[in-house]
């Protein structure tokens, strides 16, 4: 094999490797090349959103039904306000419950929607009032240790 052919093959495999790394980076970053065409917006307020990020998935029954569009802090209520873009194909009852869950080995967080039983549906611009904040592992550990310390002080 002459030098030019060898250089061509090496260049081809380097380009293929870079394309594979780009693909992997986009998948880990929750990039969605296909955007939902028609969406409507809902908002939910949480005491703590943990590591939730903009463009994070919104799931119901394990199916991605939308994306997190915006996260902001409300200085009046001291809560995080999360704006959700939901695919127009999916509608949810007024008493839908929104919670922040963790998935995967990397600890990615997403908003999970659990539909209620109300016959009235959420419309664009509505607020989901029933929410559960993210579970913060450090807070759970410190509460556990504090309770153990309090128990040991109570015993003679």
């Amino acid at each position: 094999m002459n030098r030019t052919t060898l250089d061509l093959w090496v260049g081809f495999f380097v380009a293929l490797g870079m394309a594979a790394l780009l693909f992997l980076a986009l998948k880990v970053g929750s990039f969605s090349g296909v955007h939902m065409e028609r969406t409507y917006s809902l908002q939910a307020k949480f005491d703590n959103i943990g590591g939730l990020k903009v463009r994070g998935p919104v799931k119901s029954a394990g199916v991605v039904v939308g994306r997190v569009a915006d996260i902001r802090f409300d200085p009046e209520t001291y809560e995080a306000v999360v704006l959700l873009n939901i695919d127009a194909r999916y509608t949810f009852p007024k008493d839908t419950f929104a919670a922040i869950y963790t998935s995967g080995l990397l600890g990615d967080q997403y908003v999970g929607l659990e539909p209620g039983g109300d016959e009235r549906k959420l419309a664009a611009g509505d607020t989901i009032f029933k929410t559960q904040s993210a579970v913060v592992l450090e807070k759970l550990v410190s509460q556990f240790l504090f309770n153990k310390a309090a128990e040991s002080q109570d015993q003679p």
Side-chain angles (χ1 to χ4, degrees):
M1 210 189 252
N2 63 18
R3 178 82 176 162
T4 307
T5 307
L6 183 63
D7 287 346
L8 183 65
W9 280 107
V10 169
F12 173 73
F13 282 111
V14 167
L16 188 64
M18 292 181 80
L21 285 175
L22 178 66
F23 175 76
L24 184 63
L26 293 176
K27 288 301 269 184
V28 169
S30 297
F31 176 75
S32 173
V34 179
H35 296 289
M36 293 173 282
E37 292 184 15
R38 293 186 347 222
T39 62
Y40 63 98
S41 295
L42 300 174
Q43 75 175 13
K45 294 183 178 184
F46 297 94
D47 292 330
N48 188 341
I49 60 166
L52 185 67
K53 295 180 175 81
V54 174
R55 298 180 43 76
V58 178
K59 297 181 180 182
S60 184
V63 177
V64 176
V65 296
R67 293 271 171 202
V68 175
D70 187 34
I71 300 171
R72 59 184 171 78
F73 181 72
D74 185 353
E76 293 178 10
T77 62
Y78 302 106
E79 293 177 314
V81 180
V82 179
L83 186 65
L84 312 171
N85 280 346
I86 306 297
D87 192 323
R89 296 178 294 174
Y90 309 112
T91 58
F92 293 92
K94 286 264 190 194
D95 60 346
T96 295
F97 187 80
I100 298 176
Y101 297 111
T102 303
S103 71
L105 296 173
L106 298 177
D108 291 336
Q109 293 192 312
Y110 67 94
V111 177
L113 298 180
E114 297 176 22
D118 198 340
E119 291 187 16
R120 297 172 295 151
K121 301 291 183 186
L122 288 167
D126 283 352
T127 300
I128 299 173
F129 292 103
K130 297 178 182 180
T131 61
Q132 178 182 347
S133 295
V135 176
V136 180
L137 187 60
E138 292 85 3
K139 195 173 185 179
L140 289 176
V141 170
S142 68
Q143 286 177 346
F144 176 76
L145 293 175
F146 178 77
N147 288 340
K148 285 295 181 187
E151 287 176 7
S152 66
Q153 289 179 355
D154 290 343
Q155 297 176 354

